[in-house]
Amino acid sequence: MAAGIRGIRRSRPAGPGTAATPRPPLVRELLLVTALFLVYKFGRLLANGHETRAFRNADRLWDAERALHLPGEGAVQDLLLHGEGLVRAANTYYAAVHFPVTLAFLAWLYWRRPAHYVWSRRVLALLTAAALALHLLLPLAPPRMLAATGLVDTAQVYGPSVYGATPEADSMANQFAAMPSLHFGWALMVAIGLIAAMSSRWRLLWLLHPALTLLVIVGTANHYWFDALAAAVLLGLALLVFPAPGRARRTTAPGPLAPAGATATATAGALR
């Protein structure tokens, strides 16, 4: 009887994040994630020095948005400018939430959902690499720099700001890398990753994070609508390259007569 119970326990289908999907080596993952953030932070600097192209592209993009009758970014900024506390909160969200939330997302997945962690890390890495390539191909001045928009540089006026007073004085960031918005792309992946990894009935509320991020990046005049759209398209392509773990299990499942443990073993091997 005891042997039978142990056999049933061993044959129970393994859910995401269980021992069937071992965690990758921690030191290796710390190095990989650190490399991802360093590439994001310093890779953007490669696109510096294209000010004329950046402003020409910005003029064209602004005209294209108006030709398509998209809502003006100024309408969102007007909402923020109703109170100094509100606009400061938006600036703080832009400056302080982006990296910590993404790191916390990856750390939680690593500990609780290893398969989803590997998937999310791969998607974020591919998204970031594609975004950096687009930064090089399409330098773009943000709307806060474009006189035609009539928008306020809220970070410089109200604070806090993550950028230097001028692009020339900013040695730690490329201010002409507005397209695409990785603020939005990463926030959207955080929401998608958590929704895929969780079973709570409230998990769709994670979509509030990219929604709020979108309002912040547009309202603070750091990005155009198209910057967020470009990030969403690149993320969609990355998700096609790396399917979610749930779909991977279904496509690699053995026949009905195969041992139940074979499914988990095949999944773990495919995601290493």
Side-chain angles (χ1 to χ4, degrees):
M1 178 67 71
I5 293 174
R6 284 196 297 270
I8 293 172
R9 286 176 179 170
R10 281 196 297 269
S11 66
R12 183 181 299 167
T18 65
T21 304
R23 296 187 188 92
L26 179 59
V27 174
R28 186 193 73 181
E29 292 306 311
L30 288 174
L31 291 174
L32 287 173
V33 172
T34 300
L36 173 64
F37 279 82
L38 290 177
V39 167
Y40 166 76
K41 192 67 177 177
F42 296 106
R44 289 159 54 104
L45 297 177
L46 296 175
N48 272 337
H50 302 287
E51 184 172 343
T52 301
R53 285 178 59 201
F55 278 100
R56 183 167 61 246
N57 290 334
D59 284 325
R60 291 171 177 170
L61 183 64
W62 181 255
D63 290 341
E65 286 191 350
R66 306 291 75 77
L68 292 173
H69 303 290
L70 293 181
E73 286 83 350
V76 180
Q77 186 169 91
D78 288 344
L79 296 175
L80 298 181
L81 293 177
H82 280 163
E84 185 171 335
L86 187 59
V87 71
R88 283 182 180 274
N91 291 335
T92 302
Y93 192 95
Y94 181 85
V97 171
H98 179 46
F99 282 111
V101 166
T102 307
L103 282 173
F105 161 70
L106 289 173
W108 185 85
L109 287 182
Y110 178 85
W111 184 251
R112 299 294 299 273
R113 302 288 189 272
H116 287 82
Y117 163 78
V118 173
W119 165 61
S120 298
R121 187 248 292 153
R122 288 172 175 172
V123 171
L124 285 172
L126 182 56
L127 169 63
T128 302
L132 292 177
L134 192 53
H135 292 161
L136 291 170
L137 293 172
L138 187 69
L140 184 69
R144 57 188 167 80
M145 291 185 180
L146 196 63
T149 67
L151 297 173
V152 176
D153 186 342
T154 60
Q156 290 296 334
V157 174
Y158 299 97
S161 176
V162 295
Y163 299 117
T166 63
E168 295 78 12
D170 199 337
S171 60
M172 293 301 293
N174 175 18
Q175 298 196 41
F176 298 126
M179 171 79 78
S181 169
L182 280 178
H183 268 74
F184 180 73
W186 284 14
L188 186 57
M189 183 56 206
V190 167
I192 291 173
L194 289 173
I195 290 170
M198 300 174 70
S199 58
S200 168
R201 73 172 79 178
W202 305 104
R203 63 188 183 277
L204 291 180
L205 290 177
W206 286 111
L207 290 172
L208 292 175
H209 175 48
L212 182 57
T213 299
L214 178 60
L215 294 178
V216 164
I217 64 175
V218 171
T220 57
N222 281 295
H223 289 283
Y224 307 88
W225 295 115
F226 272 6
D227 297 340
L229 177 61
V233 170
L234 291 179
L235 176 58
L237 294 175
L239 290 170
L240 289 177
V241 173
F242 295 116
R247 290 201 297 271
R249 275 199 303 275
R250 285 193 293 270
T251 57
T252 58
L257 298 180
T263 302
T265 304
T267 302
L271 292 171
R272 286 197 186 105

